[in-house]
Amino acid sequence: MILAREFSLAEGEMFLVRKPFGWTSFDVVAKMRSIFHFEKIGHAGSLDPLATGLMIVCTGKMTKEIDRFVGLDKEYVATIRLGGRTESFDSATEVVEAHSLDDISVDAVVSVLRQFVGFQTQLPPMWSAAKVGGKRLYKYARKGRVVERKLREVCISSITPVEVRIPDVTIDVVCSKGTYIRTLADDIGQRLGCGAYLLALERTRIGGHKLEDARTVEDLLQFKRSLQNV
């Protein structure tokens, strides 16, 4: 069997899915709908197209539990590139500011990372799926518009340096719902005075659910085929 246990497809299930690079969260949901023909399906927290990792997808009666899953803490492994700033705060757009890294040391980076642990406010980036006036922010951004956004309070429980090889810094971040890791990357760059943007991002955990237990869309497709052959 592809999966560890039988799914109650008719009643509804919670799937742990590994989102691939380049897919939107909607792409994952749409693909699963086409595979299993679910009437009710939704995800408990999106990932940007350039991000990979764990998504929770609920179907049927389990869609009533989505809000509970959304509220769980998240863990990410993020790689940040120092020395530049982009409009999207990640590699989706070009570097618009470049700065020297001559005065940036490993100790300085680690010291700044510690400063971002705890409660803080973030402004949702313009290149995000957050809505203002019923429209996704990225739709305004694509037209070169900047609209007023409300600050959000988030909590970063921990930031652990995984590897610091300037210009790239890889960190493990545990945070509350609604935290934008892209915004964190930009804030770190501004605090260091050299600029920074998110180079890579993988979500490894949502609450007690881990990426290592997730299945790819191809796994789910093979599982559906196995059911048809029973």
Side-chain angles (χ1 to χ4, degrees):
M1 291 291 291
I2 294 297
L3 301 174
R5 61 186 178 83
E6 291 282 355
F7 280 104
S8 301
L9 297 179
E11 294 297 319
E13 272 291 347
M14 184 271 285
F15 291 83
L16 302 181
V17 184
R18 184 183 289 265
K19 190 189 88 66
F21 180 85
W23 285 41
T24 66
S25 298
F26 178 79
D27 290 336
V28 173
V29 170
K31 185 65 174 179
M32 290 182 64
R33 180 182 283 114
S34 69
I35 292 173
F36 294 104
H37 307 293
F38 294 126
E39 292 184 6
K40 291 184 177 181
I41 184 171
H43 64 78
S46 63
L47 281 171
D48 292 331
L50 300 187
T52 61
L54 180 62
M55 283 182 58
I56 291 180
V57 179
C58 295
T59 68
K61 294 180 179 179
M62 283 300 294
T63 55
K64 297 178 181 179
E65 302 294 321
I66 284 180
D67 287 344
R68 177 169 65 84
F69 294 127
V70 169
L72 298 174
D73 65 331
K74 315 293 192 299
E75 186 168 359
Y76 299 88
V77 173
T79 298
I80 298 168
R81 175 152 292 174
L82 306 179
R85 195 168 187 236
T86 72
E87 290 184 353
S88 60
F89 300 168
D90 64 9
S91 59
T93 57
E94 295 182 357
V95 174
V96 292
E97 297 177 18
H99 301 275
S100 171
L101 296 174
D102 291 344
D103 297 327
I104 305 300
S105 66
V106 172
D107 288 343
V109 171
V110 173
S111 177
V112 165
L113 292 178
R114 294 195 190 103
Q115 297 172 24
F116 285 93
V117 176
F119 287 94
Q120 58 206 270
T121 57
Q122 284 189 337
L123 192 66
M126 281 302 304
W127 290 85
S128 71
K131 288 184 177 181
V132 171
K135 184 184 293 187
R136 303 289 185 185
L137 284 173
Y138 64 77
K139 293 187 177 181
Y140 293 108
R142 287 172 180 170
K143 297 180 179 181
R145 292 184 58 191
V146 176
V147 298
E148 186 176 349
R149 292 148 284 160
K150 293 182 179 180
L151 288 169
R152 296 181 177 182
E153 184 176 74
V154 300
C155 181
I156 296 178
S157 301
S158 67
I159 300 179
T160 305
V162 176
E163 185 176 38
V164 182
R165 298 182 65 180
I166 296 171
D168 293 341
V169 179
T170 300
I171 56 178
D172 184 283
V173 182
V174 178
C175 57
S176 65
K177 71 172 184 178
T179 303
Y180 285 98
I181 306 300
R182 284 185 293 146
T183 298
L184 174 63
D186 185 70
D187 288 345
I188 288 170
Q190 292 194 59
R191 189 73 58 87
L192 284 166
C194 64
Y197 60 93
L198 188 63
L199 193 64
L201 181 67
E202 183 170 67
R203 186 157 63 198
T204 59
R205 182 176 62 81
I206 301 174
H209 306 288
K210 298 180 179 181
L211 177 60
E212 61 197 53
D213 297 320
R215 304 295 172 169
T216 66
V217 172
E218 182 59 31
D219 286 338
L220 297 174
L221 181 58
Q222 290 183 34
F223 174 64
K224 177 62 182 297
R225 288 170 178 165
S226 72
L227 292 180
Q228 293 173 334
N229 294 329
V230 172

